[in-house]
Amino acid sequence: MKKKKLFYTLLVALMCTSCATPNFTQYAMSDFYNLPKPGVGGYQGMAIYKDYLVSLQNGGVATIYRLPDMQVVTPTFKLASAHSRNHSNVGAFGVDRGHKDDLLPVLYVSQCHRKLIRGMKDACFVERLLPEGKSELLQTIILDDDQKLFGYALQWTVDSKNKRLIGFGNTLKGEDANNRFRVIVFPLPKLADGKEIHLRPEDAIENYLLQDYTQAYPARIIGQGACVYGDRLVMPTGFGNKEWPSVLYVWDMKHKRMERVVDLSTELKAEMEDVDFYKGEAYVQTNGRGIVKFKFGKRAAAGSAR
């Protein structure tokens, strides 16, 4: 009986360790996959669910791979929301499925374009991905931003654990010294709520500026994608050049503090686009260096950890 109790105690501890947020104070970066040459506008959003990675390109183009060896599951195909003004800057898997037997939950795709698309700006397209290489647009989510909370573009990601939809982005342009970075959080709409969802700022669970809590996130910054990992919002930024270097920010949403600023200015001379996690390691899709991988904390390779 004691042996059985000890076994279950160790099993629970192991499970907790495997799902714990990594220690971001140490890391090792490595090249993971050399992506094929993209179309016009390059690679943009990326999302991971279990062993599946979806890579997005400007215009609403997707390819599904299977991890860990990046086996191609589908040929590159156009999303149902494909449009020249669908920048597809961020991808995030949700909770619901279009059909109970679907392999993947629905994918949330950020339009993130300064121009309207079918009368909408900064829409979030909810796509059902099918293994034969096509998709169905099941829902479109729009923030009715009469208060002008966001500037150039509003982006979206999903906190699937807490079933929340997170909007984020600059209040002005990234080059403006008066710019701030806003995070707005809503309950994640259900597919059953309808084909078109209009969110209002007054319905938000949270709505705040990072600079009200920290000066670690600068006013002048080129934001890219983001993902939620644990209670952290992980955000790649920059163009990978001298003026706008590659920097990864880890924001603790629960305690409203900047947990870590990972300066990659000397190591990553490529534009980071989006990030997600697989088995505790961060995968970052870039333009110029394919997909790079980060091991954190004790899992970082000895001698190359920072």
Side-chain angles (χ1 to χ4, degrees):
M1 190 67 162
K2 288 184 179 180
K3 287 184 178 180
K4 185 179 289 187
K5 185 176 180 181
L6 177 61
F7 169 77
Y8 283 118
T9 301
L10 291 172
L11 179 63
V12 170
L14 179 62
M15 291 173 65
C16 290
T17 301
S18 66
C19 64
T21 302
N23 176 7
F24 290 100
T25 58
Q26 292 182 319
Y27 71 91
M29 186 186 79
S30 61
D31 291 302
F32 174 68
Y33 185 73
N34 186 22
L35 291 164
K37 184 178 179 180
V40 177
Y43 286 101
Q44 299 302 327
M46 185 198 72
I48 296 173
Y49 174 78
K50 292 187 176 179
D51 291 334
Y52 293 91
L53 180 151
V54 60
S55 169
L56 300 177
Q57 298 181 40
N58 177 59
V61 177
T63 311
I64 301 175
Y65 298 90
R66 181 163 186 151
L67 295 167
D69 57 0
M70 289 295 281
Q71 175 188 350
V72 178
V73 177
T74 69
T76 298
F77 64 97
K78 288 186 177 182
L79 298 173
S81 61
H83 192 282
S84 61
R85 296 177 182 175
N86 179 5
H87 193 43
S88 305
N89 203 57
V90 189
F93 282 108
V95 177
D96 289 347
R97 280 173 164 76
H99 186 277
K100 63 181 179 65
D101 296 327
D102 282 354
L103 178 67
L104 300 171
V106 291
L107 180 73
Y108 291 73
V109 180
S110 294
Q111 176 205 355
C112 188
H113 199 288
R114 60 188 177 86
K115 294 183 179 180
L116 300 179
I117 175 172
R118 295 187 290 273
M120 302 175 293
K121 187 179 185 302
D122 297 331
C124 181
F125 300 115
V126 185
E127 299 264 4
R128 178 192 180 200
L129 302 182
L130 301 174
E132 57 265 36
K134 63 180 183 179
S135 76
E136 297 175 7
L137 180 60
L138 300 183
Q139 191 176 69
T140 302
I141 302 170
I142 305 155
L143 175 65
D144 292 334
D145 188 10
D146 296 333
Q147 301 176 26
K148 306 296 182 185
L149 297 176
F150 293 90
Y152 178 84
L154 160 64
Q155 303 176 89
W156 301 94
T157 193
V158 176
D159 178 355
S160 56
K161 181 183 73 171
N162 295 305
K163 296 184 179 180
R164 292 181 173 183
L165 181 67
I166 299 176
F168 62 96
N170 294 326
T171 58
L172 300 170
K173 290 184 177 182
E175 301 90 341
D176 195 318
N178 295 313
N179 176 55
R180 297 293 181 265
F181 189 85
R182 184 180 299 279
V183 174
I184 189 167
V185 182
F186 295 94
L188 183 65
K190 299 178 181 178
L191 292 179
D193 292 340
K195 293 271 188 185
E196 187 169 304
I197 304 295
H198 288 263
L199 302 175
R200 302 175 302 171
E202 53 266 34
D203 298 328
I205 299 171
E206 291 185 288
N207 182 4
Y208 61 90
L209 301 174
L210 254 63
Q211 286 79 8
D212 287 343
Y213 296 91
T214 181
Q215 297 304 308
Y217 196 89
R220 297 184 72 252
I221 194 167
I222 302 299
Q224 300 288 354
C227 77
V228 175
Y229 190 69
D231 293 316
R232 277 66 173 173
L233 186 64
V234 182
M235 302 173 286
T237 66
F239 287 144
N241 57 27
K242 186 176 181 179
E243 183 180 8
W244 305 106
S246 296
V247 181
L248 190 70
Y249 292 88
V250 182
W251 174 247
D252 184 338
M253 295 186 292
K254 184 176 181 180
H255 300 101
K256 302 292 188 298
R257 65 184 182 87
M258 190 64 73
E259 180 171 321
R260 177 69 170 160
V261 178
V262 183
D263 183 355
L264 301 168
S265 58
T266 60
E267 296 168 276
L268 190 53
K269 304 294 186 181
E271 181 183 3
M272 296 190 290
E273 294 291 349
D274 205 1
V275 59
D276 211 339
F277 284 76
Y278 178 66
K279 295 185 177 180
E281 297 173 354
Y283 289 66
V284 177
Q285 180 162 270
T286 76
N287 273 309
R289 197 163 163 174
I291 296 176
V292 296
K293 182 172 71 171
F294 292 87
K295 293 183 178 181
F296 292 100
K298 293 180 180 180
R299 306 177 68 173
S304 60
R306 271 68 178 179

PDB file of all heavy atoms in Angstrom, residues 7-33:
ATOM      1  N   PHE A   7       4.122   5.700  -5.416  1.00  0.00           N
ATOM      2  CA  PHE A   7       4.096   5.749  -6.880  1.00  0.00           C
ATOM      3  C   PHE A   7       3.191   6.885  -7.359  1.00  0.00           C
ATOM      4  O   PHE A   7       3.561   7.662  -8.241  1.00  0.00           O
ATOM      5  CB  PHE A   7       3.604   4.410  -7.433  1.00  0.00           C
ATOM      6  CG  PHE A   7       3.302   4.445  -8.896  1.00  0.00           C
ATOM      7  CD1 PHE A   7       4.325   4.409  -9.840  1.00  0.00           C
ATOM      8  CD2 PHE A   7       1.993   4.532  -9.348  1.00  0.00           C
ATOM      9  CE1 PHE A   7       4.057   4.456 -11.193  1.00  0.00           C
ATOM     10  CE2 PHE A   7       1.711   4.581 -10.701  1.00  0.00           C
ATOM     11  CZ  PHE A   7       2.742   4.539 -11.626  1.00  0.00           C
ATOM     12  N   TYR A   8       1.986   6.986  -6.786  1.00  0.00           N
ATOM     13  CA  TYR A   8       1.060   8.038  -7.217  1.00  0.00           C
ATOM     14  C   TYR A   8       1.571   9.429  -6.854  1.00  0.00           C
ATOM     15  O   TYR A   8       1.374  10.392  -7.583  1.00  0.00           O
ATOM     16  CB  TYR A   8      -0.319   7.806  -6.598  1.00  0.00           C
ATOM     17  CG  TYR A   8      -1.093   6.710  -7.285  1.00  0.00           C
ATOM     18  CD1 TYR A   8      -1.476   5.565  -6.600  1.00  0.00           C
ATOM     19  CD2 TYR A   8      -1.426   6.806  -8.637  1.00  0.00           C
ATOM     20  CE1 TYR A   8      -2.165   4.544  -7.240  1.00  0.00           C
ATOM     21  CE2 TYR A   8      -2.117   5.790  -9.286  1.00  0.00           C
ATOM     22  CZ  TYR A   8      -2.492   4.661  -8.580  1.00  0.00           C
ATOM     23  OH  TYR A   8      -3.167   3.662  -9.216  1.00  0.00           O
ATOM     24  N   THR A   9       2.257   9.536  -5.709  1.00  0.00           N
ATOM     25  CA  THR A   9       2.841  10.821  -5.319  1.00  0.00           C
ATOM     26  C   THR A   9       3.891  11.262  -6.327  1.00  0.00           C
ATOM     27  O   THR A   9       3.922  12.417  -6.755  1.00  0.00           O
ATOM     28  CB  THR A   9       3.468  10.721  -3.913  1.00  0.00           C
ATOM     29  OG1 THR A   9       2.467  10.331  -2.977  1.00  0.00           O
ATOM     30  CG2 THR A   9       4.062  12.063  -3.501  1.00  0.00           C
ATOM     31  N   LEU A  10       4.753  10.315  -6.732  1.00  0.00           N
ATOM     32  CA  LEU A  10       5.794  10.626  -7.714  1.00  0.00           C
ATOM     33  C   LEU A  10       5.186  10.941  -9.074  1.00  0.00           C
ATOM     34  O   LEU A  10       5.666  11.823  -9.793  1.00  0.00           O
ATOM     35  CB  LEU A  10       6.758   9.445  -7.834  1.00  0.00           C
ATOM     36  CG  LEU A  10       7.650   9.190  -6.619  1.00  0.00           C
ATOM     37  CD1 LEU A  10       8.422   7.876  -6.791  1.00  0.00           C
ATOM     38  CD2 LEU A  10       8.619  10.348  -6.404  1.00  0.00           C
ATOM     39  N   LEU A  11       4.116  10.240  -9.424  1.00  0.00           N
ATOM     40  CA  LEU A  11       3.456  10.479 -10.710  1.00  0.00           C
ATOM     41  C   LEU A  11       2.866  11.878 -10.768  1.00  0.00           C
ATOM     42  O   LEU A  11       3.031  12.593 -11.756  1.00  0.00           O
ATOM     43  CB  LEU A  11       2.360   9.428 -10.936  1.00  0.00           C
ATOM     44  CG  LEU A  11       1.560   9.556 -12.241  1.00  0.00           C
ATOM     45  CD1 LEU A  11       2.503   9.374 -13.433  1.00  0.00           C
ATOM     46  CD2 LEU A  11       0.438   8.523 -12.286  1.00  0.00           C
ATOM     47  N   VAL A  12       2.201  12.288  -9.695  1.00  0.00           N
ATOM     48  CA  VAL A  12       1.624  13.635  -9.641  1.00  0.00           C
ATOM     49  C   VAL A  12       2.713  14.688  -9.712  1.00  0.00           C
ATOM     50  O   VAL A  12       2.601  15.691 -10.415  1.00  0.00           O
ATOM     51  CB  VAL A  12       0.775  13.811  -8.363  1.00  0.00           C
ATOM     52  CG1 VAL A  12       0.381  15.274  -8.184  1.00  0.00           C
ATOM     53  CG2 VAL A  12      -0.472  12.936  -8.443  1.00  0.00           C
ATOM     54  N   ALA A  13       3.811  14.466  -8.983  1.00  0.00           N
ATOM     55  CA  ALA A  13       4.920  15.422  -8.994  1.00  0.00           C
ATOM     56  C   ALA A  13       5.512  15.539 -10.387  1.00  0.00           C
ATOM     57  O   ALA A  13       5.844  16.636 -10.843  1.00  0.00           O
ATOM     58  CB  ALA A  13       6.000  14.980  -7.998  1.00  0.00           C
ATOM     59  N   LEU A  14       5.646  14.400 -11.077  1.00  0.00           N
ATOM     60  CA  LEU A  14       6.190  14.410 -12.426  1.00  0.00           C
ATOM     61  C   LEU A  14       5.272  15.165 -13.374  1.00  0.00           C
ATOM     62  O   LEU A  14       5.725  15.949 -14.211  1.00  0.00           O
ATOM     63  CB  LEU A  14       6.384  12.973 -12.917  1.00  0.00           C
ATOM     64  CG  LEU A  14       6.938  12.797 -14.338  1.00  0.00           C
ATOM     65  CD1 LEU A  14       8.329  13.420 -14.425  1.00  0.00           C
ATOM     66  CD2 LEU A  14       6.983  11.325 -14.725  1.00  0.00           C
ATOM     67  N   MET A  15       3.967  14.940 -13.243  1.00  0.00           N
ATOM     68  CA  MET A  15       2.995  15.638 -14.092  1.00  0.00           C
ATOM     69  C   MET A  15       3.052  17.131 -13.857  1.00  0.00           C
ATOM     70  O   MET A  15       3.008  17.932 -14.795  1.00  0.00           O
ATOM     71  CB  MET A  15       1.590  15.114 -13.825  1.00  0.00           C
ATOM     72  CG  MET A  15       1.363  13.686 -14.306  1.00  0.00           C
ATOM     73  SD  MET A  15      -0.241  13.027 -13.798  1.00  0.00           S
ATOM     74  CE  MET A  15      -1.338  14.106 -14.689  1.00  0.00           C
ATOM     75  N   CYS A  16       3.163  17.544 -12.607  1.00  0.00           N
ATOM     76  CA  CYS A  16       3.224  18.971 -12.290  1.00  0.00           C
ATOM     77  C   CYS A  16       4.494  19.598 -12.853  1.00  0.00           C
ATOM     78  O   CYS A  16       4.487  20.720 -13.339  1.00  0.00           O
ATOM     79  CB  CYS A  16       3.153  19.190 -10.784  1.00  0.00           C
ATOM     80  SG  CYS A  16       1.538  18.807 -10.079  1.00  0.00           S
ATOM     81  N   THR A  17       5.607  18.849 -12.774  1.00  0.00           N
ATOM     82  CA  THR A  17       6.868  19.354 -13.292  1.00  0.00           C
ATOM     83  C   THR A  17       6.809  19.544 -14.793  1.00  0.00           C
ATOM     84  O   THR A  17       7.296  20.529 -15.345  1.00  0.00           O
ATOM     85  CB  THR A  17       8.012  18.393 -12.932  1.00  0.00           C
ATOM     86  OG1 THR A  17       8.078  18.262 -11.518  1.00  0.00           O
ATOM     87  CG2 THR A  17       9.340  18.905 -13.456  1.00  0.00           C
ATOM     88  N   SER A  18       6.166  18.589 -15.493  1.00  0.00           N
ATOM     89  CA  SER A  18       6.128  18.629 -16.952  1.00  0.00           C
ATOM     90  C   SER A  18       5.296  19.781 -17.477  1.00  0.00           C
ATOM     91  O   SER A  18       5.504  20.248 -18.578  1.00  0.00           O
ATOM     92  CB  SER A  18       5.590  17.304 -17.494  1.00  0.00           C
ATOM     93  OG  SER A  18       4.235  17.137 -17.116  1.00  0.00           O
ATOM     94  N   CYS A  19       4.304  20.237 -16.679  1.00  0.00           N
ATOM     95  CA  CYS A  19       3.439  21.316 -17.166  1.00  0.00           C
ATOM     96  C   CYS A  19       3.807  22.664 -16.557  1.00  0.00           C
ATOM     97  O   CYS A  19       3.136  23.651 -16.798  1.00  0.00           O
ATOM     98  CB  CYS A  19       1.972  20.986 -16.881  1.00  0.00           C
ATOM     99  SG  CYS A  19       1.564  20.870 -15.138  1.00  0.00           S
ATOM    100  N   ALA A  20       4.858  22.677 -15.741  1.00  0.00           N
ATOM    101  CA  ALA A  20       5.243  23.924 -15.087  1.00  0.00           C
ATOM    102  C   ALA A  20       5.828  24.901 -16.089  1.00  0.00           C
ATOM    103  O   ALA A  20       6.402  24.517 -17.102  1.00  0.00           O
ATOM    104  CB  ALA A  20       6.256  23.628 -13.983  1.00  0.00           C
ATOM    105  N   THR A  21       5.680  26.198 -15.793  1.00  0.00           N
ATOM    106  CA  THR A  21       6.273  27.223 -16.636  1.00  0.00           C
ATOM    107  C   THR A  21       7.786  27.137 -16.520  1.00  0.00           C
ATOM    108  O   THR A  21       8.330  27.043 -15.424  1.00  0.00           O
ATOM    109  CB  THR A  21       5.786  28.616 -16.206  1.00  0.00           C
ATOM    110  OG1 THR A  21       4.370  28.647 -16.291  1.00  0.00           O
ATOM    111  CG2 THR A  21       6.366  29.690 -17.095  1.00  0.00           C
ATOM    112  N   PRO A  22       8.517  27.156 -17.645  1.00  0.00           N
ATOM    113  CA  PRO A  22       9.970  27.015 -17.579  1.00  0.00           C
ATOM    114  C   PRO A  22      10.635  28.225 -16.932  1.00  0.00           C
ATOM    115  O   PRO A  22      10.051  29.308 -16.837  1.00  0.00           O
ATOM    116  CB  PRO A  22      10.375  26.897 -19.056  1.00  0.00           C
ATOM    117  CG  PRO A  22       9.285  27.577 -19.803  1.00  0.00           C
ATOM    118  CD  PRO A  22       8.037  27.299 -19.024  1.00  0.00           C
ATOM    119  N   ASN A  23      11.864  28.015 -16.499  1.00  0.00           N
ATOM    120  CA  ASN A  23      12.677  29.097 -15.959  1.00  0.00           C
ATOM    121  C   ASN A  23      13.275  29.860 -17.143  1.00  0.00           C
ATOM    122  O   ASN A  23      14.168  29.364 -17.820  1.00  0.00           O
ATOM    123  CB  ASN A  23      13.772  28.508 -15.069  1.00  0.00           C
ATOM    124  CG  ASN A  23      14.723  29.553 -14.553  1.00  0.00           C
ATOM    125  OD1 ASN A  23      14.517  30.751 -14.751  1.00  0.00           O
ATOM    126  ND2 ASN A  23      15.774  29.119 -13.884  1.00  0.00           N
ATOM    127  N   PHE A  24      12.787  31.061 -17.385  1.00  0.00           N
ATOM    128  CA  PHE A  24      13.197  31.822 -18.558  1.00  0.00           C
ATOM    129  C   PHE A  24      14.544  32.532 -18.374  1.00  0.00           C
ATOM    130  O   PHE A  24      14.989  33.238 -19.267  1.00  0.00           O
ATOM    131  CB  PHE A  24      12.121  32.844 -18.928  1.00  0.00           C
ATOM    132  CG  PHE A  24      10.868  32.234 -19.475  1.00  0.00           C
ATOM    133  CD1 PHE A  24       9.751  32.058 -18.670  1.00  0.00           C
ATOM    134  CD2 PHE A  24      10.797  31.825 -20.795  1.00  0.00           C
ATOM    135  CE1 PHE A  24       8.586  31.497 -19.179  1.00  0.00           C
ATOM    136  CE2 PHE A  24       9.646  31.262 -21.315  1.00  0.00           C
ATOM    137  CZ  PHE A  24       8.537  31.099 -20.503  1.00  0.00           C
ATOM    138  N   THR A  25      15.170  32.373 -17.211  1.00  0.00           N
ATOM    139  CA  THR A  25      16.418  33.102 -16.971  1.00  0.00           C
ATOM    140  C   THR A  25      17.599  32.500 -17.712  1.00  0.00           C
ATOM    141  O   THR A  25      18.623  33.142 -17.876  1.00  0.00           O
ATOM    142  CB  THR A  25      16.737  33.160 -15.465  1.00  0.00           C
ATOM    143  OG1 THR A  25      16.831  31.822 -14.968  1.00  0.00           O
ATOM    144  CG2 THR A  25      15.648  33.909 -14.717  1.00  0.00           C
ATOM    145  N   GLN A  26      17.480  31.253 -18.145  1.00  0.00           N
ATOM    146  CA  GLN A  26      18.535  30.614 -18.925  1.00  0.00           C
ATOM    147  C   GLN A  26      17.932  30.022 -20.184  1.00  0.00           C
ATOM    148  O   GLN A  26      16.808  29.514 -20.157  1.00  0.00           O
ATOM    149  CB  GLN A  26      19.213  29.497 -18.125  1.00  0.00           C
ATOM    150  CG  GLN A  26      20.031  30.000 -16.944  1.00  0.00           C
ATOM    151  CD  GLN A  26      20.715  28.850 -16.236  1.00  0.00           C
ATOM    152  OE1 GLN A  26      20.131  27.788 -16.047  1.00  0.00           O
ATOM    153  NE2 GLN A  26      21.964  29.045 -15.848  1.00  0.00           N
ATOM    154  N   TYR A  27      18.670  30.091 -21.278  1.00  0.00           N
ATOM    155  CA  TYR A  27      18.144  29.530 -22.522  1.00  0.00           C
ATOM    156  C   TYR A  27      19.283  29.096 -23.436  1.00  0.00           C
ATOM    157  O   TYR A  27      20.423  29.524 -23.293  1.00  0.00           O
ATOM    158  CB  TYR A  27      17.266  30.560 -23.250  1.00  0.00           C
ATOM    159  CG  TYR A  27      18.043  31.702 -23.854  1.00  0.00           C
ATOM    160  CD1 TYR A  27      18.509  31.634 -25.168  1.00  0.00           C
ATOM    161  CD2 TYR A  27      18.335  32.849 -23.116  1.00  0.00           C
ATOM    162  CE1 TYR A  27      19.247  32.672 -25.718  1.00  0.00           C
ATOM    163  CE2 TYR A  27      19.060  33.889 -23.661  1.00  0.00           C
ATOM    164  CZ  TYR A  27      19.506  33.797 -24.962  1.00  0.00           C
ATOM    165  OH  TYR A  27      20.240  34.821 -25.508  1.00  0.00           O
ATOM    166  N   ALA A  28      18.923  28.241 -24.380  1.00  0.00           N
ATOM    167  CA  ALA A  28      19.826  27.869 -25.467  1.00  0.00           C
ATOM    168  C   ALA A  28      19.007  27.870 -26.750  1.00  0.00           C
ATOM    169  O   ALA A  28      17.936  27.262 -26.807  1.00  0.00           O
ATOM    170  CB  ALA A  28      20.440  26.498 -25.228  1.00  0.00           C
ATOM    171  N   MET A  29      19.496  28.553 -27.771  1.00  0.00           N
ATOM    172  CA  MET A  29      18.787  28.671 -29.040  1.00  0.00           C
ATOM    173  C   MET A  29      19.436  27.785 -30.092  1.00  0.00           C
ATOM    174  O   MET A  29      20.661  27.681 -30.153  1.00  0.00           O
ATOM    175  CB  MET A  29      18.786  30.124 -29.515  1.00  0.00           C
ATOM    176  CG  MET A  29      17.955  30.378 -30.761  1.00  0.00           C
ATOM    177  SD  MET A  29      18.121  32.077 -31.377  1.00  0.00           S
ATOM    178  CE  MET A  29      19.708  31.958 -32.222  1.00  0.00           C
ATOM    179  N   SER A  30      18.602  27.169 -30.924  1.00  0.00           N
ATOM    180  CA  SER A  30      19.132  26.349 -32.010  1.00  0.00           C
ATOM    181  C   SER A  30      18.200  26.444 -33.214  1.00  0.00           C
ATOM    182  O   SER A  30      17.002  26.719 -33.075  1.00  0.00           O
ATOM    183  CB  SER A  30      19.273  24.887 -31.573  1.00  0.00           C
ATOM    184  OG  SER A  30      18.014  24.344 -31.215  1.00  0.00           O
ATOM    185  N   ASP A  31      18.755  26.219 -34.400  1.00  0.00           N
ATOM    186  CA  ASP A  31      17.940  26.161 -35.609  1.00  0.00           C
ATOM    187  C   ASP A  31      17.179  24.847 -35.606  1.00  0.00           C
ATOM    188  O   ASP A  31      17.731  23.783 -35.314  1.00  0.00           O
ATOM    189  CB  ASP A  31      18.819  26.246 -36.858  1.00  0.00           C
ATOM    190  CG  ASP A  31      19.449  27.631 -37.012  1.00  0.00           C
ATOM    191  OD1 ASP A  31      18.700  28.618 -37.075  1.00  0.00           O
ATOM    192  OD2 ASP A  31      20.694  27.714 -37.064  1.00  0.00           O
ATOM    193  N   PHE A  32      15.896  24.921 -35.956  1.00  0.00           N
ATOM    194  CA  PHE A  32      15.060  23.726 -35.911  1.00  0.00           C
ATOM    195  C   PHE A  32      14.617  23.261 -37.291  1.00  0.00           C
ATOM    196  O   PHE A  32      14.736  22.088 -37.631  1.00  0.00           O
ATOM    197  CB  PHE A  32      13.832  23.979 -35.036  1.00  0.00           C
ATOM    198  CG  PHE A  32      12.841  22.845 -35.051  1.00  0.00           C
ATOM    199  CD1 PHE A  32      13.159  21.622 -34.483  1.00  0.00           C
ATOM    200  CD2 PHE A  32      11.584  22.999 -35.645  1.00  0.00           C
ATOM    201  CE1 PHE A  32      12.253  20.569 -34.512  1.00  0.00           C
ATOM    202  CE2 PHE A  32      10.681  21.952 -35.682  1.00  0.00           C
ATOM    203  CZ  PHE A  32      11.017  20.729 -35.106  1.00  0.00           C
ATOM    204  N   TYR A  33      14.100  24.182 -38.127  1.00  0.00           N
ATOM    205  CA  TYR A  33      13.566  23.769 -39.418  1.00  0.00           C
ATOM    206  C   TYR A  33      13.711  24.906 -40.427  1.00  0.00           C
ATOM    207  O   TYR A  33      13.347  26.052 -40.139  1.00  0.00           O
ATOM    208  CB  TYR A  33      12.091  23.382 -39.279  1.00  0.00           C
ATOM    209  CG  TYR A  33      11.477  22.825 -40.543  1.00  0.00           C
ATOM    210  CD1 TYR A  33      11.787  21.547 -40.990  1.00  0.00           C
ATOM    211  CD2 TYR A  33      10.574  23.582 -41.289  1.00  0.00           C
ATOM    212  CE1 TYR A  33      11.213  21.022 -42.146  1.00  0.00           C
ATOM    213  CE2 TYR A  33       9.997  23.065 -42.442  1.00  0.00           C
ATOM    214  CZ  TYR A  33      10.318  21.785 -42.873  1.00  0.00           C
ATOM    215  OH  TYR A  33       9.758  21.279 -44.013  1.00  0.00           O
TER     216      TYR A  33
END
